[in-house]
Amino acid sequence: MRLPAPLNRFLEHLRLALAGQAVEYIEAELRQLETVFATLVLGSLAGMPTPLSGAAARLAPYMLPEIMAMLEEAGRLDDLIGEIGGLFEPT
Amino acid sequence: MFQAGWLILLAIALYVIFYYTHGRYLQYKVVGASPRQQTPAHRMYDGVDYVPANKYVLYGHHFASIAGAGPIVGPAIALAWGWLPALLWIWFGNVFIGVVHDYLSLMVSVRHEGRSIGWVAGKYLGRSAFYAFNTYIWFSLLLVIAAFGFVISALFAKVPGAGVAAFLLIFLAVPVGLVMYRTKLGYAAGTILSIIFIILSIWVGFIIQTAGVFSLGFYEWLGILTVYIILAASLPVWVLLQPRDYMNAFILWASLVLGGVALIALLATGGGAMTFPAFTMFSANVVGGQPSPFWPAVPLIIACGALSGFHSLVSSGTTSKQLDNELHGLLIAYGGMETEGFLATMVVGTMAAFGLPAFISAVSAAVKSNGALAKLLSSIAASLHLPAGAPPSEVLKAMAANPAVFGKYYAILASKVKWVVIPGSYGYTLNAAFGIPVAVGTVFATIWITAFALTSLDTATRLARFTWQELVEPLRQRSPGLYRVVSNKWFASILAVALGMSLAATKQFLVIWPAFAGMNQLLSSLALMTIAVWVIRATRATRLGKALVVAPAVFMWATVTLALLWYEAAVVPVYLAKGGTHTVTGLAVGGITALGLALNLMLFALWLREVRVKRMVPAEARSG
Amino acid sequence: MAVYVFAGKGGVGKTTSSAAFAVLLAERLGRRVLVASIDPAHNLGDVLGVELGGEPRRVWRNLYAAEVDYEAVVERYMSGLTEKLSYLYRHLKAFNLEGTLRVMRYAPGVEENAVLEELLRMLRSGGGFDDIVIDPPPTGMLLRILSLPLSALQWVRGLMRLRMEILKRRRMIVNATGEEIRVRLGGEEYVLPSSPGDDPVYRELAGLEETYREAIERLVKGSTIILVINPETLPLLEAERTYRFLKSIGARVGGVVVNKYREEGRRVLEEARSFFKEEPFATIPLLPREPRGIDRLREVAARLEALLP
């Protein structure tokens, strides 16, 4: 059955909206976890003591997404209220 | 008599007209928005945080984020001045101030790589503005907890069926989350389950409500809430907060559409006539039950719906990172704020048209067991020259017909019946339009209001934890031992919850709500000042365009400053003089608002200095 | 298969002792023995009087010997890492800058990991030997290598738990939205893995965990460590510290050799004997010249009989 185009578009938007609404907080939490992970692993490369730069070097090649999340997060460290406040809006 | 349905149609017309005139003007002549200008979502695309979203999807999401219980409760209280002044403030506050605030917060952030308005305030007004921003937020959060803690406990005490239903919904959110996140069934199954569970909860609530087999008092509910909020705010987000947030979106849209359609449908049958007075008096008894001048006191009552400072956080913190095209900003932020204004309009409409039967049933049900209410009712009867033993329905009908008496007693009486008249009037509206049993509609509306308020308690506690951390940061160097104690996560949670809930326990809602609204307005005032500096400094706005931004900023600053000064001078002393818990309440809200005021004066001085500085147009504006 | 590791400071006679002990095992017990040096300053070949390389070479009856090229081991380990890293930073080649990654060679912990993995490789393959006698790097390095797996194992397990939390959140998003999570980095689109099996980071972590677990099993707990000292007060004190440390990480100490014993050292020898009274004890007198060749080693070996299992 073919639906008329506007209805199709509406349903697609609804799908996107529902899918987005369903994971907003989880996505934010995931990004935080990835940042923590990258900081722990690459701490030695970033000047924090960790016992194992050898192990860090083994993991690093696969951690591009986490490293990017960490760097981006670091760039926003002076604006955390925007991060957190936008997410946990209470009124 | 005037039918509430017309208000809905008028509001739609007004919002559409302003969208295409005022909104478009802001878009092109102030911001200079252009589809060719890359947004942060593209420039910094990462697929996760910065992702261009479809504009309708983002509009829905933005609206779901900004809307809460605020635009329902505030307008309902403001009816004390009459529905017309309340509505005028909602409409004109919304289209002249609120949308400017929300839309420009978004666009400022878009032009600052998705940074928050707090950060931009720090950039344009200095570091102290940034601290002021955090301080406003923290105190607002305390008062959010206090105000919503009161509203929820009060409504549950009156509509115990809804209390059961709301907690049932909380427990059912967990399986929704499990199905949605831990199985491959995903959001589709989550949606179906959500809708089934919402209907199931309403049905259970209705059964319990009508059977009258269960009830708890205000303080018992407050105790339950205190435990709930500390636990809820310490859970991982996916367990409860995320699925609840998802379910709330359905409740929000359902309530908005049902209420709006009901009032419009009633136009055909001649129903929905507004029995409450259009205008009562300039100084109705509202704030703290004291005579309150409509201006400047109105923003202490109607915040969300006309103007809310927290929106700037959503606009500039989340939405700005997902904006696909600068031209979409208008629909999303301007349109989103208008939709909230529409929600507030609907509340005013249902209250003005169906508040009377809601009052009659609420007062009749409670008057026998509530001595204070009976006493209040007989003094209302006396001022209406009715005999002391007159039945509540007669007294209330006469009161609705007498603007002066209505203005004097509305807010106080509504507080005595714990504002159950808000969901009650919604129940009567659905009953009149669709024949749905009043109890079903009332339970639904109570769930709607409290679902948002409950999520607010959760998010406010989480946000308070974080803001507190920022506030105590200066202690880290000066007093490391103390810092370790106060920066503890549980300390921060329990502090905010304990302070907020103790305020709620005083039941002095008419003084707590204005303090919350006032702090919220201070936050928005700071955002407006920041926006104004940006418009003057960094855009090529026309003179009219600048005026459209600077005038609301100045007007809002002056209004909220005067309102809080009046609040300190006229309301707080009354509470201080009453003794006992009243004095403590007075000290608390007086102290918080005084701090807010002091910061506000300081910020204005900073702001004046910044707007006076003549500078070249910055590079940023030239490249745009 | 038994593994013996001769621990001691540089110059105390580790190589001589381990070579002599290997001869002893081969001769007295008739075992097929490999003696392998993994010390950056090799002299096992000199002691045995033959040219040695990385592959085991038969030097006498059923005695085999090898000198693992320390630099080459570290180099090989590094090139594995830099190969992966240089894929990540492949654009550096355009600048001829890929050499900059070599600085990692000097990152703390890299050498230890490299040697640890080489030792494990050796023990794992076994090569059909009944016994392996290892002449390791000097004490400081050896202790770092031995303690590495213990702390590292806890750390890796912690990271694995955190990684599972991340994968769990990703799985939730995939489940809820019905779509994989795509991110774009540097113009390329990546699909974020959401299950442990697909996640290379988790796989690497699991590999590391296995390595460290095995290292504890085979090397730290599974080998017999023999302390080599000279009869002087300060080295003795240090040996005592080493001994306590080895006990604390659960290593098995199988004996003490006092090398280059002279009459003047009697008092220290007595102290050592009383401190290590629970361990087999052997003494090798100071020889007029370094023992070279199998025959000389057999003489020395006779002094080590106390250490035989």
Side-chain angles (χ1 to χ4, degrees):
Chain A
M1 189 181 67
R2 281 175 67 95
L3 295 169
L7 184 61
N8 244 333
R9 252 201 321 278
F10 174 77
L11 288 177
E12 172 62 12
H13 291 163
L14 187 66
R15 190 186 72 76
L16 286 173
L18 291 175
Q21 186 81 22
V23 295
E24 178 195 15
Y25 290 103
I26 298 177
E27 278 180 342
E29 192 185 47
L30 171 64
R31 202 166 48 247
Q32 297 305 323
L33 284 171
E34 285 175 341
T35 302
V36 171
F37 187 82
T39 312
L40 286 180
V41 172
L42 302 173
S44 58
L45 303 181
M48 257 173 55
T50 61
L52 287 174
S53 23
R58 250 178 87 169
L59 297 174
Y62 306 108
M63 285 179 47
L64 195 56
E66 288 82 359
I67 296 171
M68 295 304 283
M70 176 176 75
L71 293 180
E72 221 158 73
E73 202 63 29
R76 286 199 296 258
L77 280 180
D78 62 340
D79 188 28
L80 287 171
I81 190 73
E83 276 298 279
I84 316 285
L87 188 65
F88 296 113
E89 201 270 356
T91 57
Chain B
M1 254 183 290
F2 203 63
Q3 290 167 269
W6 293 114
L7 298 183
I8 300 294
L9 296 179
L10 258 173
I12 293 173
L14 180 85
Y15 287 138
V16 170
I17 291 168
F18 264 83
Y19 183 87
Y20 283 105
T21 55
H22 178 250
R24 285 282 165 90
Y25 195 84
L26 289 178
Q27 182 174 39
Y28 290 115
K29 302 291 178 184
V30 176
V31 175
S34 150
R36 283 189 301 280
Q37 181 117 335
Q38 263 203 334
T39 58
H42 288 284
R43 206 163 43 242
M44 306 167 74
Y45 178 88
D46 61 4
V48 183
D49 210 8
Y50 293 85
V51 192
N54 175 281
K55 70 171 170 174
Y56 300 105
V57 173
L58 193 53
Y59 159 80
H61 188 241
H62 179 82
F63 174 60
S65 297
I66 61 172
I72 306 168
V73 177
I77 306 173
L79 281 173
W81 284 297
W83 56 259
L84 189 57
L87 213 50
L88 288 178
W89 182 259
I90 290 167
W91 286 353
F92 292 101
N94 187 298
V95 293
F96 281 120
I97 311 172
V99 291
V100 173
H101 173 269
D102 285 27
Y103 174 60
L104 281 146
S105 304
L106 173 63
M107 297 317 286
V108 166
S109 172
V110 165
R111 295 282 173 88
H112 287 87
E113 310 276 300
R115 303 243 178 213
S116 79
I117 196 78
W119 186 90
V120 181
K123 177 181 166 176
Y124 285 105
L125 297 176
R127 194 79 192 142
S128 44
F130 185 71
Y131 286 122
F133 193 74
N134 277 348
T135 313
Y136 287 161
I137 292 178
W138 192 74
F139 282 107
S140 307
L141 292 171
L142 280 192
L143 294 161
V144 164
I145 295 172
F148 289 158
F150 171 85
V151 169
I152 301 168
S153 308
L155 288 180
F156 284 173
K158 284 288 173 185
V159 194
V164 173
F167 274 93
L168 183 60
L169 213 48
I170 289 172
F171 287 115
L172 290 176
V174 176
V176 169
L178 286 174
V179 168
M180 200 149 58
Y181 307 124
R182 305 308 290 268
T183 73
K184 288 189 185 302
L185 299 170
Y187 75 94
T191 304
I192 295 168
L193 272 185
S194 294
I195 293 170
I196 293 174
F197 285 167
I198 290 167
I199 293 171
L200 176 76
S201 299
I202 294 168
W203 181 73
V204 169
F206 168 71
I207 300 285
I208 289 175
Q209 183 65 21
T210 46
V213 290
F214 171 85
S215 83
L216 288 176
F218 174 85
Y219 288 109
E220 285 149 322
W221 281 115
L222 202 65
I224 292 173
L225 285 186
T226 309
V227 176
Y228 158 78
I229 166 180
I230 291 175
L231 290 182
S234 65
L235 287 174
V237 289
W238 71 270
V239 178
L240 190 60
L241 182 59
Q242 179 76 76
R244 268 181 72 62
D245 185 66
Y246 190 66
M247 295 166 96
N248 282 359
F250 294 106
I251 299 177
L252 172 68
W253 287 105
S255 62
L256 195 64
V257 171
L258 271 178
V261 169
L263 289 180
I264 293 171
L266 282 168
L267 282 178
T269 59
M274 292 191 283
T275 43
F276 277 179
F279 175 72
T280 60
M281 58 179 91
F282 185 71
S283 289
N285 288 13
V286 191
V287 181
Q290 305 299 310
S292 315
F294 179 72
W295 192 88
V298 63
L300 301 186
I301 296 299
I302 304 178
C304 311
L307 170 66
S308 171
F310 278 104
H311 296 182
S312 66
L313 286 177
V314 180
S315 276
S316 67
T318 329
T319 307
S320 60
K321 292 174 189 144
Q322 298 174 28
L323 194 71
D324 183 17
N325 179 325
E326 284 203 339
L327 296 185
H328 295 173
L330 196 64
L331 174 74
I332 292 154
Y334 197 105
M337 184 61 201
E338 285 192 334
T339 314
E340 200 186 65
F342 179 81
L343 174 65
T345 306
M346 188 197 78
V347 172
V348 171
T350 53
M351 283 288 284
F354 294 96
L356 185 57
F359 258 110
I360 292 173
S361 84
V363 172
S364 310
V367 73
K368 283 191 196 74
S369 57
N370 187 336
L373 177 62
K375 219 175 114 204
L376 180 65
L377 197 66
S378 47
S379 42
I380 295 173
S383 57
L384 288 163
H385 309 295
L386 288 169
S393 61
E394 204 174 305
V395 178
L396 291 165
K397 273 181 196 153
M399 173 177 141
N402 184 328
V405 174
F406 188 91
K408 201 168 163 201
Y409 288 108
Y410 166 83
I412 300 166
L413 184 64
S415 284
K416 277 278 180 294
V417 292
K418 309 252 174 46
W419 295 98
V420 69
V421 287
I422 303 174
S425 61
Y426 194 88
Y428 278 99
T429 307
L430 296 193
N431 176 261
F434 311 123
I436 296 171
V438 174
V440 172
T442 307
V443 167
F444 170 65
T446 311
I447 291 174
W448 161 39
I449 299 164
T450 55
F452 277 96
L454 280 165
T455 323
S456 293
L457 291 184
D458 188 339
T459 53
T461 308
R462 288 170 190 266
L463 189 51
R465 239 171 12 215
F466 166 73
T467 332
W468 175 252
Q469 188 85 40
E470 295 280 277
L471 287 180
V472 299
E473 178 62 25
L475 277 181
R476 199 161 58 94
Q477 304 273 316
R478 259 170 261 165
S479 172
L482 183 60
Y483 176 78
R484 253 197 308 285
V485 176
V486 297
S487 66
N488 175 281
K489 172 184 133 177
W490 291 100
F491 181 89
S493 277
I494 292 170
L495 178 77
V497 173
L499 291 177
M501 286 306 200
S502 339
L503 262 180
T506 65
K507 291 192 187 177
Q508 298 308 309
F509 182 60
L510 286 178
V511 73
I512 295 166
W513 180 265
F516 154 65
M519 291 308 282
N520 186 344
Q521 301 291 279
L522 285 175
L523 191 60
S524 59
S525 172
L526 172 53
L528 279 169
M529 287 197 256
T530 308
I531 290 162
V533 176
W534 177 72
V535 166
I536 292 169
R537 287 262 204 86
T539 67
R540 299 187 142 177
T542 56
R543 284 177 70 93
L544 174 63
K546 281 182 184 149
L548 285 176
V549 177
V550 177
V554 174
F555 175 72
M556 200 55 224
W557 184 86
T559 304
V560 73
T561 306
L562 275 176
L564 288 173
L565 283 172
W566 168 82
Y567 180 80
E568 291 286 352
V571 183
V572 173
V574 175
Y575 276 78
L576 293 181
K578 277 187 184 171
T581 55
H582 290 296
T583 308
V584 180
T585 315
L587 277 174
V589 293
I592 292 172
T593 44
L595 176 70
L597 257 177
L599 287 173
N600 195 37
L601 293 170
M602 174 199 84
L603 286 171
F604 194 63
L606 283 176
W607 185 74
L608 276 183
R609 197 189 67 202
E610 288 304 312
V611 289
R612 281 217 200 110
V613 179
K614 290 267 180 283
R615 281 188 208 187
M616 309 274 286
V617 179
E620 192 184 3
R622 275 200 299 275
S623 68
Chain C
M1 187 179 73
V3 179
Y4 299 90
V5 179
F6 279 73
K9 283 164 66 74
V12 293
K14 265 187 297 136
T15 309
T16 309
S17 310
S18 39
F21 188 65
V23 168
L24 185 68
L25 287 170
E27 187 176 21
R28 200 64 55 85
L29 303 182
R31 323 265 286 188
R32 199 171 132 88
V33 183
L34 170 68
V35 55
S37 163
I38 195 164
D39 191 335
H42 286 300
N43 53 7
L44 183 61
D46 299 342
V47 170
L48 290 170
V50 281
E51 279 287 306
L52 292 175
E55 286 307 306
R57 175 186 162 183
R58 189 167 161 258
V59 291
W60 182 65
R61 295 191 194 167
N62 43 358
L63 174 66
Y64 294 74
E67 269 180 1
V68 178
D69 185 342
Y70 186 88
E71 283 297 322
V73 165
V74 177
E75 196 60 34
R76 203 165 46 240
Y77 181 78
M78 282 306 303
S79 67
L81 295 178
T82 38
E83 202 176 297
K84 291 171 179 172
L85 264 184
S86 62
Y87 172 73
L88 186 67
Y89 296 107
R90 53 199 172 286
H91 52 284
L92 286 181
K93 291 213 173 71
F95 300 97
N96 219 11
L97 284 177
E98 69 272 24
T100 49
L101 296 173
R102 298 189 50 78
V103 74
M104 237 173 37
R105 160 75 177 79
Y106 306 103
V110 165
E111 274 188 24
E112 286 85 342
N113 262 299
V115 175
L116 180 68
E117 291 201 0
E118 180 62 24
L119 283 172
L120 282 179
R121 206 178 56 81
M122 199 190 288
L123 300 186
R124 224 178 271 143
S125 73
F129 295 106
D130 300 321
D131 293 322
I132 296 182
V133 179
I134 292 169
D135 174 22
T139 328
M141 181 65 153
L142 177 68
L143 295 187
R144 282 205 300 281
I145 292 171
L146 290 179
S147 58
L148 177 70
L150 291 163
S151 61
L153 189 65
Q154 294 310 314
W155 187 74
V156 166
R157 285 186 176 156
L159 283 183
M160 286 172 88
R161 280 193 295 276
L162 178 57
R163 194 70 198 171
M164 282 308 280
E165 290 296 311
I166 288 176
L167 295 171
K168 189 168 125 189
R169 300 305 188 281
R170 288 184 182 165
R171 188 85 248 156
M172 287 180 185
I173 293 172
V174 171
N175 281 339
T177 61
E179 281 171 21
E180 295 294 334
I181 309 171
R182 285 165 206 284
V183 294
R184 185 173 306 162
L185 306 159
E188 269 185 65
E189 198 168 72
Y190 292 76
V191 172
L192 292 187
S194 58
S195 70
D198 298 336
D199 183 22
V201 175
Y202 193 83
R203 275 206 305 273
E204 287 289 330
L205 283 172
L208 279 169
E209 194 214 16
E210 177 56 29
T211 304
Y212 294 130
R213 220 180 36 70
E214 193 190 356
I216 292 173
E217 207 172 279
R218 288 186 194 260
L219 197 64
V220 182
K221 297 209 158 76
S223 66
T224 304
I225 295 169
I226 293 164
L227 296 175
V228 184
I229 54 173
N230 293 155
E232 287 156 32
T233 307
L234 287 178
L236 174 62
L237 288 176
E238 201 188 300
E240 290 175 10
R241 274 201 298 278
T242 305
Y243 179 74
R244 283 192 212 98
F245 177 78
L246 287 171
K247 286 281 176 193
S248 77
I249 63 172
R252 196 168 72 216
V253 176
V256 177
V257 177
V258 178
N259 192 18
K260 301 182 187 170
Y261 172 68
R262 285 162 296 159
E263 201 48 37
E264 304 91 273
R266 171 170 295 281
R267 199 181 48 80
V268 182
L269 182 74
E270 289 315 314
E271 273 175 34
R273 213 189 280 281
S274 79
F275 183 84
F276 295 111
K277 59 180 175 295
E278 285 160 24
E279 308 297 341
F281 202 87
T283 313
I284 304 172
L286 179 69
L287 301 170
R289 57 196 165 88
E290 287 280 305
R292 293 223 165 166
I294 297 291
D295 290 342
R296 298 292 313 276
L297 285 172
R298 287 170 70 193
E299 289 167 24
V300 178
R303 306 255 177 193
L304 300 177
E305 269 174 35
L307 304 177
L308 281 177

